[in-house]
Amino acid sequence: MVLVTGAGGVGKTTLAAGLAVRAAESGLASLVMTVDPAHRLADALGGYSLVNHPTQHPEVRGLWAATLDAAASWEEIIRRHAPPEVADRTIANPLFEAVTSRFPAGQAYAAADQMASRIEEGRWDIVLVDTPPSEGGIDFFLAPARTRELVGAKILHWLTGARLPGRRAFFDIAARPALKLADAVLGGRLLGNVAEFLLDLRAAYDGIAHRADDIQTHLRSATTLVVATAQPTPIREAERFFLELPNAVRPPAAVVFNRILPADWTKAAALPPPPKLGVAVVENLERWAAEAHRQQEARAEFASRFRARLAEIPWMSADLTTPADLSRLVSAARGLPLDQLGIR
Ligand SMILES: Nc1ncnc2c1ncn2[C@@H]1O[C@H](COP(=O)(O)OP(=O)(O)OP(=O)(O)O)[C@@H](O)[C@H]1O
Ligand SMILES: [Mg+2]
């Protein structure tokens, strides 16, 4: 299992798809899963439509892909772990959609759950997961624990008393004057819905808590690639994988700097200006030389602070819209731990 993670927009989907294509070309049964709502994976793989379960690529043998529908996955999770009538009620609750699709840890948990199921199916040699574009990729690793906390939430104990309540207890809560007043002021059944939702979710608690442990075990054995660009925000996100990652998870196998300018561009400004080129062109070369230099410094600084394997992917000028483009991108990269992933 390979997790491709990092800050927003750095090239996670592109790299995950590229590695999946290269793995398939190496003869591995390869699956890439994304949660990207923008359909970038489908576009990058040549535009075939992806669904919530793996489908085979029409052209590349051995390549499978899926996109995560968080609400559909949560529906499966709830149906698996709660009695049918409770599951129906939970899914119909207006909060269900909000928690499952818009709450980042909810989305991350659904992705982790799907990923674990695919690994357990055992049909693929390599499963690549393009982690959700939530604030930081690190959320993905914390999602099982957070979801367990949410489902067993303290707020429930506060709302319902210490013991796991039955439905009657719930109606007692809903009848509480404070809830009634709040709902009257807010103009709806907001708190009533919250209380009911959390209570119903409680029915799935044991199942979800158990599953969260399985997922954690899979995460512990995964290979993680952190993607960054030489910009301050992506670098800060990458640093978090060294400063904040829970002990139970393996450190990243590599930090991949994407959209890198060629090293020899740093010398561009030192070259004698080519004859007949205008001042604007010379200025432009100088600007790119300065940028290439800045990128080099940023990588060196990172390397001096963290013991990490660094990889680089060049900034491609052509579009990346077919499996062949993605395969070329991975071939042009330096330092990716391809051996470790079984990719030739
Ligand atoms: N090395 C590269 N050279 C040129 N363009 C690139 C490179 N890597 C990625 N891109 C382009 O950058 C854009 C963003 O890449 P991508 O969608 O993979 O990022 P992401 O990290 O998945 O973003 P998000 O966090 O929004 O999901 C895409 O248009 C992609 O084609
Ligand atoms: Mg993406």
Side-chain angles (χ1 to χ4, degrees), residues 7-14 34-41 130-133:
V10 292
K12 299 178 293 295
T13 304
T14 306
T34 183
V35 270
D36 190 351
H39 304 297
R40 273 285 314 148
L41 178 62
D130 166 27
T131 63

Side-chain angles (χ1 to χ4, degrees), residues 292-307:
H293 184 72
R294 198 192 59 75
Q295 290 190 352
Q296 253 185 4
E297 299 266 282
R299 292 198 302 279
E301 222 253 322
F302 193 94
S304 72
R305 294 178 50 213
F306 302 100
R307 279 190 46 179

Side-chain angles (χ1 to χ4, degrees), residues 26-220:
S26 308
L28 302 177
S30 148
L31 167 64
V32 55
M33 293 172 53
T34 183
V35 270
D36 190 351
H39 304 297
R40 273 285 314 148
L41 178 62
D43 293 346
L45 290 175
Y48 84 106
S49 54
L50 299 178
V51 290
N52 202 31
H53 59 86
T55 53
Q56 207 161 2
H57 192 276
E59 284 150 30
V60 184
R61 253 190 82 175
L63 176 62
W64 299 69
T67 188
L68 182 89
D69 175 341
S73 300
W74 264 102
E75 206 174 312
E76 268 176 42
I77 293 169
I78 297 293
R79 293 205 184 282
R80 211 185 304 146
H81 299 303
E85 78 283 0
V86 177
D88 286 343
R89 199 168 49 228
T90 309
I91 290 159
N93 192 305
L95 275 175
F96 182 73
E97 204 260 325
V99 168
T100 55
S101 308
R102 283 181 248 150
F103 170 55
Q107 214 187 35
Y109 180 82
D113 181 83
Q114 279 268 352
M115 169 201 79
S117 302
R118 300 311 167 207
I119 301 275
E120 287 156 10
E121 273 177 51
R123 288 168 61 194
W124 292 279
D125 299 311
I126 180 167
V127 175
L128 293 124
V129 181
D130 166 27
T131 63
S134 61
E135 247 169 67
I138 201 159
D139 287 348
F140 189 77
F141 296 88
L142 307 175
R146 283 194 184 153
T147 302
R148 195 175 13 203
E149 275 164 29
L150 170 78
V151 178
K154 288 221 172 64
I155 185 174
L156 254 186
H157 292 271
W158 175 73
L159 279 168
T160 63
R163 270 195 233 124
L164 183 68
R167 297 291 302 162
R168 258 200 71 204
F170 164 64
F171 286 112
D172 293 345
I173 306 160
R176 279 189 191 175
L179 283 185
K180 278 198 165 156
L181 178 64
D183 279 352
V185 171
L186 296 168
R189 279 199 70 236
L190 182 66
L191 287 185
N193 278 336
V194 171
E196 184 170 53
F197 182 70
L198 289 175
L199 268 178
D200 281 341
L201 213 51
R202 197 79 176 75
Y205 177 72
D206 289 342
I208 289 182
H210 191 74
R211 181 66 175 156
D213 289 342
D214 292 349
I215 294 172
Q216 204 76 64
T217 308
H218 288 301
L219 287 179
R220 228 169 272 146

Side-chain angles (χ1 to χ4, degrees), residues 159-344:
L159 279 168
T160 63
R163 270 195 233 124
L164 183 68
R167 297 291 302 162
R168 258 200 71 204
F170 164 64
F171 286 112
D172 293 345
I173 306 160
R176 279 189 191 175
L179 283 185
K180 278 198 165 156
L181 178 64
D183 279 352
V185 171
L186 296 168
R189 279 199 70 236
L190 182 66
L191 287 185
N193 278 336
V194 171
E196 184 170 53
F197 182 70
L198 289 175
L199 268 178
D200 281 341
L201 213 51
R202 197 79 176 75
Y205 177 72
D206 289 342
I208 289 182
H210 191 74
R211 181 66 175 156
D213 289 342
D214 292 349
I215 294 172
Q216 204 76 64
T217 308
H218 288 301
L219 287 179
R220 228 169 272 146
S221 64
T223 299
T224 307
L225 301 176
V226 179
V227 187
T229 58
Q231 307 297 326
T233 306
I235 289 181
R236 256 197 315 277
E237 280 300 325
E239 287 174 2
R240 292 183 62 200
F241 281 85
F242 295 87
L243 302 172
E244 295 171 36
L245 202 63
N247 281 337
V249 179
R250 290 202 322 215
V255 176
V256 184
F257 280 88
N258 191 13
R259 293 200 206 98
I260 290 303
L261 294 174
D264 53 6
W265 280 28
T266 51
K267 299 184 214 107
L271 300 174
K276 292 200 210 130
L277 286 184
V279 176
V281 174
V282 174
E283 259 180 30
N284 203 21
L285 283 176
E286 283 172 357
R287 212 173 288 137
W288 285 111
E291 173 61 17
H293 184 72
R294 198 192 59 75
Q295 290 190 352
Q296 253 185 4
E297 299 266 282
R299 292 198 302 279
E301 222 253 322
F302 193 94
S304 72
R305 294 178 50 213
F306 302 100
R307 279 190 46 179
R309 174 183 180 140
L310 297 194
E312 292 174 15
I313 303 179
W315 194 345
M316 308 296 264
S317 53
D319 282 349
L320 302 166
T321 50
T322 65
D325 296 338
L326 296 175
S327 179
R328 260 194 303 279
L329 178 86
V330 173
S331 301
R334 286 200 344 218
L336 288 174
L338 297 180
D339 292 350
Q340 206 176 316
L341 308 179
I343 297 174
R344 274 178 280 120

